[in-house]
Amino acid sequence: MSQYGSWSVKGVDDRARAIAKEKARLKGITLGDYINNLLLEGHSEAGPRDMPRQPGTAQPHVYSDPAFADPIRTSALDGLAQRIEAVEARSTLAITGIDQSVLGLLTRLESTENSTSAMTAEVERMIDELRETHEMLHDKVGALENDESGRRSLEAMKSLEDALGKACHH
């Protein structure tokens, strides 16, 4: 744990946190030192370099590379960071749109699959009914064939059986 104790700030945007980490890394300091320097430079006349050192505490590390102190380079880096953030935001929106489209397609696919399953079950039920009817008629025709008195009825039933047989096979 640091000399000041652990603390966190809720509500800090992830992009702002990432930018702060990157700027601290570029300056060669820790994120804590970077934030300390920002806060102390903005609210202290002495600034972090001139702060008196208390006994038993470490002097904060201040990166003094003149390349990063140049306002033109700093504004160029800030502009680049803003452009990168804008690209990230557009990419996030695009990915979100793609995710929503894929979820919509999956929902439609599941709905189609459920409808197909229901239709398949109904068709199978109808085929079973037709088979039962065909078997029943076949049995009746067999009984009529054994009975010599109903020759005409037999021919009519055979015609009906053939018609139903053709209907079942189509």
Side-chain angles (χ1 to χ4, degrees):
M1 196 180 316
S2 74
Q3 62 189 355
Y4 303 108
S6 178
W7 66 283
S8 66
V9 179
K10 293 184 181 186
V12 175
D13 187 84
D14 288 338
R15 291 179 297 165
R17 188 181 311 264
I19 290 170
K21 282 182 181 179
E22 181 61 19
K23 286 186 176 187
R25 185 189 66 77
L26 289 172
K27 289 187 174 191
I29 60 175
T30 66
L31 179 59
D33 286 341
Y34 177 76
I35 292 172
N36 285 339
N37 290 341
L38 285 177
L39 294 173
L40 292 173
E41 286 174 2
H43 296 292
S44 170
E45 291 180 22
R49 295 178 197 179
D50 302 322
M51 296 285 292
R53 206 173 146 172
Q54 296 178 357
T57 62
Q59 179 69 23
H61 179 269
V62 178
Y63 194 71
S64 59
D65 186 344
F68 290 102
D70 181 8
I72 295 173
R73 288 188 184 183
T74 302
S75 67
L77 287 174
D78 288 342
L80 184 59
Q82 289 175 352
R83 288 175 58 197
I84 290 170
E85 287 176 21
V87 168
E88 278 183 343
R90 286 192 304 266
S91 298
T92 300
L93 287 175
I95 289 171
T96 301
I98 292 170
D99 283 347
Q100 290 174 350
S101 295
V102 168
L103 287 175
L105 287 173
L106 286 174
T107 302
R108 288 172 52 193
L109 186 62
E110 286 176 6
S111 174
T112 301
E113 186 177 288
N114 291 339
S115 296
T116 302
S117 295
M119 287 190 313
T120 300
E122 181 65 19
V123 168
E124 286 176 358
R125 185 191 62 76
M126 291 171 70
I127 289 173
D128 288 341
E129 284 180 12
L130 285 172
R131 281 189 185 130
E132 288 175 12
T133 303
H134 182 260
E135 288 174 10
M136 183 183 71
L137 288 173
H138 187 269
D139 291 343
K140 286 186 179 185
V141 168
L144 288 174
E145 285 177 340
N146 293 336
D147 185 13
E148 293 296 323
S149 63
R151 224 21 165 174
R152 271 199 202 150
S153 296
L154 178 61
E155 289 175 12
M157 291 298 283
K158 280 187 179 182
S159 295
L160 181 60
E161 180 184 19
D162 289 340
L164 282 173
K166 288 178 183 177
C168 277
H169 295 290
H170 289 297

